[in-house]
Amino acid sequence: MNPIIPFLKSLSRNLYLHYILLGMAVAKIIWPIWEYRDLTFGDTSSYYNTAIRFAQSLECNIAWSPLYTSFFGAFLWVNPSPYFAVIAHRLVIIAILSFLSFEIGRKLMSMPFAWLATVWWVSLPITHDTIYAIHLFSVLPILTIWWLLSISSSMKMRGICAGLFVAFTLLIRNELLIAGSIFISLSVLHDFRRIRLSASSIKSYGVLFKCYTIPIISAFLLMGFA
């Protein structure tokens, strides 16, 4: 057998190589961002004012995506320059999105195809160069939940994701209320039906109750803190 073929197969399964190439590809795509992307009008300027409040006094507006403005404001601790904060927080969001997209992709398809799909998605201008970074940040909750569910589909993990849906709805985008309500309802119904069909003890219903209520209550406590 040609020794090149096994070598190429081993490369196609090398996770570290894919991450190195992914980092290089994403860096190439967004490389000139600091030459044309600045503090844009509209949403970014408005959120920047709230981010300054967080950076200076740890205050946030609960009605205006407090998790995003806290994340945005944290970059002002590193460098108080508005230009740095705007560029740096967008770069970090793109890096996290690339990681989550690739991790979810390789659960659904072979690693090379997951790499190509991720690079294609990031390369779209509407993705990396969308005018407001909050729109990029708003994708993180859904991808995070998908990623966690791809790792484990246990009742405990679904309960954690239910809590995350509530937290993200309250602290980032209230539009997630619809998707979150559907997910939580179907997840609870699925686990309740599974326990009933398996004729489990009353303790199993107690576990079901804890798996969902503890993360959801924690999400509301987090909102109260915010």
Side-chain angles (χ1 to χ4, degrees):
M1 179 183 292
N2 191 330
I4 297 179
I5 295 178
F7 175 71
L8 293 177
K9 287 184 177 180
S10 66
L11 287 180
S12 68
R13 302 189 192 101
N14 192 309
L15 180 61
Y16 297 106
L17 176 62
H18 280 79
Y19 266 117
I20 291 173
L21 294 177
L22 178 62
M24 293 171 63
V26 173
K28 174 61 177 178
I29 292 168
I30 64 177
W31 185 256
I33 189 173
W34 38 80
E35 296 180 1
Y36 61 85
R37 176 59 64 205
D38 205 335
L39 184 59
T40 55
F41 60 90
D43 287 8
T44 302
S45 299
S46 176
Y47 283 118
Y48 177 75
N49 290 330
T50 311
I52 290 178
R53 289 177 55 192
F54 176 82
Q56 294 176 345
S57 57
L58 294 181
E59 295 179 2
C60 57
N61 188 336
I62 191 63
W64 291 99
S65 302
L67 189 59
Y68 170 70
T69 53
S70 301
F71 172 80
F72 194 176
F75 285 86
L76 293 169
W77 293 339
V78 180
N79 188 325
S81 166
Y83 180 77
F84 169 83
V86 170
I87 297 298
H89 96 289
R90 181 183 285 262
L91 292 176
V92 171
I93 292 172
I94 293 173
I96 297 174
L97 285 175
S98 301
F99 165 79
L100 291 175
S101 299
F102 179 62
E103 282 297 312
I104 295 170
R106 72 188 189 93
K107 296 291 193 304
L108 302 174
M109 61 190 85
S110 63
M111 205 177 302
F113 284 104
W115 185 91
L116 287 173
T118 302
V119 172
W120 169 80
W121 184 74
V122 175
S123 67
L124 296 175
I126 194 61
T127 300
H128 71 273
D129 195 30
T130 184
I131 191 168
Y132 303 135
I134 178 62
H135 296 163
L136 275 178
F137 191 84
S138 300
V139 183
L140 290 177
I142 298 299
L143 290 186
T144 299
I145 290 171
W146 283 355
W147 177 52
L148 291 175
L149 290 174
S150 71
I151 295 175
S152 172
S153 59
S154 65
M155 181 169 61
K156 183 177 180 180
M157 181 60 78
R158 285 194 294 275
I160 291 174
C161 290
L164 289 177
F165 254 122
V166 174
F168 292 146
T169 300
L170 297 172
L171 300 178
I172 301 181
R173 303 295 266 190
N174 53 24
E175 297 96 324
L176 291 173
L177 175 64
I178 297 175
S181 299
I182 294 173
F183 173 82
I184 294 172
S185 299
L186 293 179
S187 293
V188 172
L189 181 63
H190 168 76
D191 288 320
F192 182 84
R193 183 172 180 273
R194 184 172 55 83
I195 292 174
R196 183 171 63 84
L197 292 177
S198 62
S200 300
S201 64
I202 192 67
K203 290 184 178 180
S204 298
Y205 292 99
V207 173
L208 170 65
F209 181 78
K210 290 180 180 179
C211 282
Y212 285 93
T213 56
I214 292 177
I216 291 175
I217 291 174
S218 300
F220 279 102
L221 291 176
L222 181 61
M223 184 196 71
F225 176 75

